[in-house]
Amino acid sequence: MVEEIKLCSNKIKISQNIVVLTGAGISAESGIPTFRGENGLWKNYRAEDLATPSAFMRNPQLVWEWYCWRRRIIKKAGPNAGHIALKEMEEILRERFFLITQNVDGLHRKAGNENVIEFHGNIWVTVCSQCGKTRWDETENYSEVPRCEACGGFERPGVVWFGEPIPERVLQASFEKARNCDVFMVIGTSGIVQPAASLASIAKSAGAFIVEINIERTPLSPLVDLNLKGRAGEILPAIVENLKE
Ligand code: BJW
Ligand code: ZN
């Protein structure tokens, strides 16, 4: 493992552009439940009941309850060693480093990363389902579905649900980054949700060296050049240590 981590660090050292894609696994060590797998959020809740536009239309109250519950967990959580290592990586590599996260918890920005795309939105943003007006919102309990100040429409969490498109600018910027990097790291994601997962294949087709950090194998594992099996909060700090040498 030490040798593999060295290899990864060396690839990063000589790279011109590195892109990192993170998923729920990187926040697991902050105490935020992942979606799938052991203790995954969807063992108790069915995705199709909660993370879809039709679920919201059917029962906005229930969907808000779920998001408020998650807001409370996220509010209490802070960045862990994995987040902090990625912040240090950005400090070292500056504009050669770019982060795309599927997480809505905002922990990468909290850790200090600036070159970040929040691919699936942010849980602290609330958006009007009618007129699209957005606002920053730290409410952790709604007894009623919140209404838009401007038009009175129902407000919803500012995240991307199943069946919804990724905002065009976000998608294009992410594809562009993936096409133009020479190292692509995929960290703590099950790699099954599209189009996020396809970013790894895009980078691979463009010739990038692909690294995966995960405690398990995923559908992306066969395409990666280097598998680092283990916790992001342990492996990432070790990679960054080598970068400092
Ligand atoms: C650790 C660890 C540690 C644990 N260290 N690792 C092709 C085929 C079939 C379906 C589709 C398709 N293309 C598109 C679709 C539909 C759908 C989709 O992908 N479905 C799949 C399930 C098959 N995709 C969509 O609907 C997307 N939109 C779309 O395609 O639009 C098209 C369109 C165009 C034009 C008009 C209209 C439509 C949108 C997808 C949105 C996903 N949204 C969610 C919810 C976000 C808000 C919220 O948080 O509530 O995003 S779903 C959920 O999954 C969330 C996550 O970001 C996303 C990915 O999950 P992630 O991060 O990978 O987490 P887990 O839990 O799955 O995995 C954790 C991993 O960590 C595991 O591997 C662990 O082993 C690992 N781990 N501890 C390292 N310490
Ligand atoms: Zn409105």
Side-chain angles (χ1 to χ4, degrees):
M1 185 59 125
V2 176
E3 284 313 307
E4 288 166 321
I5 287 175
K6 276 224 175 86
L7 171 63
C8 179
S9 303
N10 288 340
K11 287 283 181 189
I12 294 171
K13 272 184 188 165
I14 59 169
S15 99
Q16 291 301 305
N17 288 294
I18 156 162
V19 173
V20 174
L21 173 69
T22 62
I26 196 166
S27 293
E29 291 164 71
S30 293
I32 299 172
T34 60
F35 291 91
R36 299 165 189 87
E38 279 301 304
N39 304 318
L41 279 174
W42 292 347
K43 285 239 155 140
N44 304 321
Y45 302 91
R46 290 179 348 130
E48 52 276 23
D49 287 343
L50 294 163
T52 67
S54 58
F56 186 73
M57 283 193 284
R58 209 165 43 235
N59 195 343
Q61 182 83 43
L62 175 71
V63 172
W64 265 115
E65 267 171 38
W66 189 55
Y67 278 93
C68 282
W69 171 70
R70 290 176 54 204
R71 279 184 176 187
R72 292 193 291 273
I73 294 173
I74 290 167
K75 184 62 137 307
K76 282 194 239 126
N80 64 54
H83 295 104
I84 290 160
L86 288 178
K87 141 82 168 28
E88 290 182 357
M89 215 185 267
E90 181 174 313
E91 265 172 8
I92 295 167
L93 302 169
R94 294 161 173 271
E95 60 284 345
R96 288 157 57 207
F97 177 92
F98 202 86
L99 180 56
I100 302 170
T101 186
Q102 297 169 83
N103 300 344
V104 300
D105 57 33
L107 287 186
H108 287 300
R109 285 189 195 280
K110 209 166 173 186
N113 280 100
E114 287 174 3
N115 289 334
V116 190
I117 284 184
E118 290 174 323
F119 201 79
H120 289 153
N122 188 300
I123 198 165
W124 301 109
V125 171
T126 291
V127 49
C128 174
S129 57
Q130 204 162 279
C131 76
K133 191 172 194 280
T134 63
R135 65 184 173 97
W136 191 255
D137 173 24
E138 296 190 10
T139 311
E140 291 167 50
N141 250 315
Y142 276 119
S143 50
E144 273 170 48
V145 178
R147 298 276 191 154
C148 172
E149 207 182 67
C151 79
F154 279 144
E155 287 182 311
R156 54 163 282 178
V159 300
V160 182
W161 286 328
F162 285 117
E164 295 185 316
I166 307 301
E168 193 57 24
R169 267 190 309 138
V170 166
L171 192 64
Q172 290 315 324
S174 304
F175 281 166
E176 206 253 344
K177 290 288 176 192
R179 269 197 306 271
N180 292 303
C181 68
D182 46 18
V183 173
F184 188 93
M185 296 179 77
V186 14
I187 305 172
T189 176
S190 56
I192 60 171
V193 174
Q194 298 292 351
S198 68
L199 292 167
S201 336
I202 291 171
K204 175 81 178 176
S205 310
F209 185 82
I210 317 289
V211 181
E212 176 174 60
I213 302 178
N214 202 304
I215 52 173
E216 286 171 4
R217 280 185 72 80
T218 73
L220 296 176
S221 302
L223 85 90
V224 314
D225 298 292
L226 181 61
N227 263 295
L228 300 173
K229 190 162 191 267
R231 291 159 155 251
E234 287 165 11
I235 294 175
L236 282 168
I239 293 172
V240 172
E241 254 338 281
N242 294 332
L243 294 181
K244 292 175 181 166
E245 282 168 9

